[in-house]
Amino acid sequence: MATLSFQGNPVHTNGELPAVGSIAPAFKLVNSKLEDVGLAAYVGKNKVLNIVPSLDTPTCAASARMFNQKAAAIANTVVLLVSADLPFAQCRFCTSEGLDNVIPLSTFRSGFADDYGVRLTDSLLAGLTARAVVVVDADDRVLYTELVAELANEPDYDSVLKVLAAVG
C-alpha cells in the first residue's frame, strides 16, 4: 500500500507500482471498440502507461495533452492513456481534444488497477486509479515508475522523456 494525497488529505492505494527492472505485469484493458487489449498488443515497442483517475478533470486532461505532444513523438513508443473512464467517454475526450498520439484504454472490466497497485482504496475517489506513470521497454521490462504524490499534480514529464531517449 502506498500513501499519497488528494488536496492535502491522505489517500491510499491497494499496493505498489511494479518494481523498476521487473517484467511488467500482463494486463487486459478495454479499448474504444469494447475489445480487451493486453500488453502483448504492443510487443516490440516502448510503452508509456499514463495512468490517470479520470479524463474529466483538468490535471488528467493536461497530462493526456502533454504526453500526446511529447512522448508520442519518440520513435518506437506508444502512449497508453489508462483511466477508469468508460471507453465511450475516453474516445469522445480524445476526439474532442484532437489527441491522436495516445491510445485510450479503460480499466472497465479489468484487474489492471489491482495488478499495478494503483487502485485508490479510500476517500471519495475509492475505486479510481491513482495518477502514475510506468515506462516499459520493448521487452516488457519496467524502466521507470512514478506514483504522483499529490493527485492534483502532473507527473514528471522530463524524467519520462529522459528514460525514453535513453532506450531509443
Side-chain angles (χ1 to χ4, degrees), residues 13-26:
T13 65
N14 69 302
E16 303 288 333
L17 288 171
V20 171
S22 69
I23 296 298

Side-chain angles (χ1 to χ4, degrees), residues 80-105:
L80 307 179
L81 180 57
V82 179
S83 76
D85 297 299
L86 289 175
F88 314 111
Q90 289 177 326
C91 186
R92 187 171 48 252
F93 170 81
C94 288
T95 300
S96 70
E97 292 286 331
L99 304 181
D100 48 8
N101 294 322
V102 297
I103 301 167
L105 297 170

Side-chain angles (χ1 to χ4, degrees), residues 4-11 150:
L4 51 145
S5 65
F6 176 57
Q7 299 176 337
N9 298 309
V11 293
E150 166 56 57

Side-chain angles (χ1 to χ4, degrees), residues 11-150:
V11 293
H12 301 92
T13 65
N14 69 302
E16 303 288 333
L17 288 171
V20 171
S22 69
I23 296 298
F27 60 73
K28 285 187 183 175
L29 292 164
V30 181
N31 69 14
S32 62
K33 297 177 184 174
L34 298 179
E35 300 167 330
D36 290 336
V37 176
L39 189 60
Y42 308 101
V43 116
K45 293 199 175 279
N46 299 315
K47 295 150 286 278
V48 175
L49 283 64
N50 179 27
I51 305 163
V52 301
S54 173
L55 293 171
D56 197 25
T57 66
T59 305
C60 297
S63 174
R65 286 184 207 105
M66 185 63 77
F67 277 117
N68 183 70
Q69 176 189 7
K70 293 193 180 254
I74 297 173
N76 199 41
T77 300
V78 295
V79 177
L80 307 179
L81 180 57
V82 179
S83 76
D85 297 299
L86 289 175
F88 314 111
Q90 289 177 326
C91 186
R92 187 171 48 252
F93 170 81
C94 288
T95 300
S96 70
E97 292 286 331
L99 304 181
D100 48 8
N101 294 322
V102 297
I103 301 167
L105 297 170
S106 177
T107 60
F108 170 69
R109 291 196 318 240
S110 169
F112 174 89
D114 287 324
D115 296 343
Y116 275 71
V118 294
R119 182 176 48 82
L120 297 173
T121 60
D122 50 17
S123 84
L124 295 173
L125 302 177
L128 294 177
T129 57
R131 184 177 319 287
V133 178
V134 178
V135 178
V136 178
D137 73 9
D139 297 319
D140 293 340
R141 187 158 310 278
V142 176
L143 300 177
Y144 172 87
T145 65
E146 177 189 4
L147 180 64
V148 179
E150 166 56 57

